[in-house]
Amino acid sequence: MDPLNGSGPEGMNLDGRRSCHVLHLPPFKIFPTVDHSTGIELSDSPAPSMAALAEKGGSVCVTGAGGYVASWLVKFLLSRNYTVHGTVRDPQDAKYNHLKNLDKASENLKLFKADLLDYNSLFAAIKGRTGVFHVACPVPSSSVPNPEVELVEPAVKGTLNVLKACTAANIKRTVVVSSVAAVFMNPNWPEGQVKDETCWSDQEYCKTTNNWYCYSKTVAESAAFEYAKQNGLNMVTVCPALVLGTVLQRGTNASSLVLIKLVKEGYEEIEDKLRSIVDVRDVAEALILAYQSPQADGRYICNAHTAKTSDVVEILRRHYPNYNYPKRFKEVKNTGKYSSEKLQRLGWKYRPLEETLVDSIESYKRAGLVD
């Protein structure tokens, strides 16, 4: 559920259609330091120091490299002279050409065919790297008949497979992308109090309200921290709000559809809910900052702006007066705000909301998604 509009975190309806059993997670164990594809025992040589991570360049792996956030992350990493392994479903698919066309991609980017539920495929991409950015995550564009199987299990098991591969490969730091979906679904949080990293979505509440995306992100992030603690893995998480901004990949994505529908659907009336928004480029910068900062620890909320839907429309109308905007806005009780103060203490900065919104629309126009 999106804190902004009462649906999925990118504005989609993700309610499950039937009840599901609680997901039972296997006990966490240190994964054997053996390459399962070859049977070769891995080296126990120490990884580079944390100070080395703060320097430009290095070797990293990005899971789900062709996605919205991950594409910008790969672009920025390449620009900082990193060598990048990226996992995708099929490296030969033309939809990943935007990655191959990035500056320095020909010499510093290698794409690997991988599946989050296939440990060996993930380990092949991760071995030999210094750091890992786990960005890949299932985000359905509609409701799913069996959310535990189609949404929760891939999120949790996929995350644990990545973390186990990081342990086996002696990765120095892992950055996991979570979501404010794992933060805001907490009915016991004091009303009016700004939500910070200590606020976690209540898992039972997520299930009873059929907010399966929130449940999956919460369970996956919780399982990641438990695994990291038990296995001594240096891991931090970043929890972005609604991600907007320039699209690099072909086609649309769930979060962009929020804005596209707002300018195209011509709703007679829409709820004037708060939208917590962050630019995709600022999210990518936050991930790199969390990776490079020796003092980074725990989780980080990544939110730049909080604005009502009517305020977003007003900004867009100044630049694009002829779109089919909602005609009326219905006042509703809003769900509260998020603090990114912890991330800002690392040095994170973000761009103005107007820049994000205009750049979003311009990229949709180039892609033929809006007129």
Side-chain angles (χ1 to χ4, degrees):
M1 175 174 170
D2 186 3
L4 319 177
N5 55 23
S7 56
E10 285 85 11
M12 310 311 297
N13 181 5
L14 302 178
D15 289 350
R17 296 178 186 167
R18 66 186 186 195
S19 62
C20 298
H21 299 294
V22 177
L23 179 67
H24 296 288
L25 300 177
F28 302 114
K29 298 179 181 179
I30 298 178
F31 211 85
T33 53
V34 173
D35 183 337
H36 282 197
S37 62
T38 63
I40 299 174
E41 185 173 345
L42 300 177
S43 170
D44 291 327
S45 59
S49 67
M50 284 305 302
L53 299 183
E55 301 175 1
K56 288 188 177 182
S59 59
V60 296
C61 177
V62 177
T63 67
Y68 184 29
V69 171
S71 293
W72 275 102
L73 175 60
V74 171
K75 178 181 173 69
F76 287 164
L77 288 169
L78 291 174
S79 73
R80 290 160 169 79
N81 297 317
Y82 280 86
T83 60
V84 181
H85 285 182
T87 72
V88 295
R89 292 182 179 178
D90 180 5
Q92 305 307 316
D93 194 319
K95 71 178 181 179
Y96 302 121
N97 285 348
H98 68 284
L99 295 176
K100 299 173 184 178
N101 293 331
L102 293 173
D103 288 345
K104 301 182 181 179
S106 59
E107 61 266 32
N108 289 334
L109 174 64
K110 182 178 180 181
L111 298 182
F112 288 73
K113 182 176 182 178
D115 186 316
L116 287 178
L117 300 182
D118 180 355
Y119 168 84
N120 287 338
S121 68
L122 293 169
F123 182 76
I126 290 172
K127 65 180 178 181
R129 305 286 89 186
T130 301
V132 170
F133 295 88
H134 177 41
V135 191
C137 179
V139 183
S141 58
S142 62
S143 58
V144 291
N146 192 341
E148 187 164 5
V149 172
E150 300 177 52
L151 193 61
V152 181
E153 286 190 28
V156 177
K157 291 183 179 179
T159 296
L160 292 178
N161 277 340
V162 170
L163 299 185
K164 290 173 182 178
C166 289
T167 298
N170 199 24
I171 296 301
K172 189 61 180 175
R173 170 165 285 175
T174 303
V175 179
V176 174
V177 177
S178 184
S179 169
V180 291
V183 176
F184 77 91
M185 287 290 293
N186 188 335
N188 299 316
W189 190 258
E191 186 174 356
Q193 182 174 325
V194 175
K195 294 180 175 69
D196 60 19
E197 287 78 7
T198 64
C199 183
W200 282 82
S201 291
D202 184 278
Q203 294 181 25
E204 288 303 315
Y205 184 69
C206 289
K207 288 192 295 181
T208 57
T209 55
N210 282 328
N211 286 292
W212 291 102
Y213 181 84
C214 296
Y215 178 70
S216 72
K217 297 302 290 188
T218 306
V219 174
E221 188 181 358
S222 297
F225 274 115
E226 184 175 351
Y227 176 89
K229 180 180 180 180
Q230 292 187 8
N231 293 280
L233 183 67
N234 187 323
M235 185 200 77
V236 296
T237 66
V238 176
C239 303
L242 177 68
V243 182
L244 297 175
T246 302
V247 176
L248 290 180
Q249 80 277 20
R250 289 173 55 186
T252 187
N253 58 286
S255 62
S256 298
L257 282 173
V258 174
L259 208 55
I260 292 171
K261 289 182 176 182
L262 203 58
V263 302
K264 290 182 69 174
E265 294 296 327
Y267 299 107
E268 286 297 320
E269 185 175 70
I270 192 172
E271 292 183 335
D272 199 14
K273 290 191 174 182
L274 284 177
R275 296 181 177 275
S276 297
I277 299 170
V278 63
D279 194 287
V280 63
R281 294 161 291 190
D282 296 331
V283 176
E285 292 286 8
L287 296 176
I288 295 175
L289 190 62
Y291 175 71
Q292 291 183 336
S293 302
Q295 71 272 31
D297 71 298
R299 64 202 308 232
Y300 290 88
I301 292 174
C302 185
N303 177 52
H305 305 283
T306 302
K308 286 187 174 183
T309 305
S310 57
D311 296 328
V312 172
V313 167
E314 190 58 34
I315 293 173
L316 290 171
R317 199 189 300 273
R318 291 201 299 266
H319 293 271
Y320 310 99
N322 298 323
Y323 283 139
N324 196 16
Y325 297 106
K327 297 177 178 60
R328 295 185 305 276
F329 298 92
K330 180 181 179 181
E331 287 295 325
V332 293
K333 181 179 179 179
N334 285 302
T335 57
K337 299 180 180 181
Y338 308 96
S339 170
S340 290
E341 181 181 345
K342 183 182 177 187
L343 184 58
Q344 289 175 285
R345 289 199 297 268
L346 287 184
W348 183 66
K349 297 179 174 60
Y350 52 85
R351 65 200 69 221
L353 177 59
E354 187 167 13
E355 179 181 342
T356 296
L357 295 175
V358 170
D359 287 354
S360 297
I361 297 298
E362 290 300 316
S363 74
Y364 304 159
K365 288 169 67 176
R366 289 192 297 271
L369 300 173
V370 298
D371 297 329

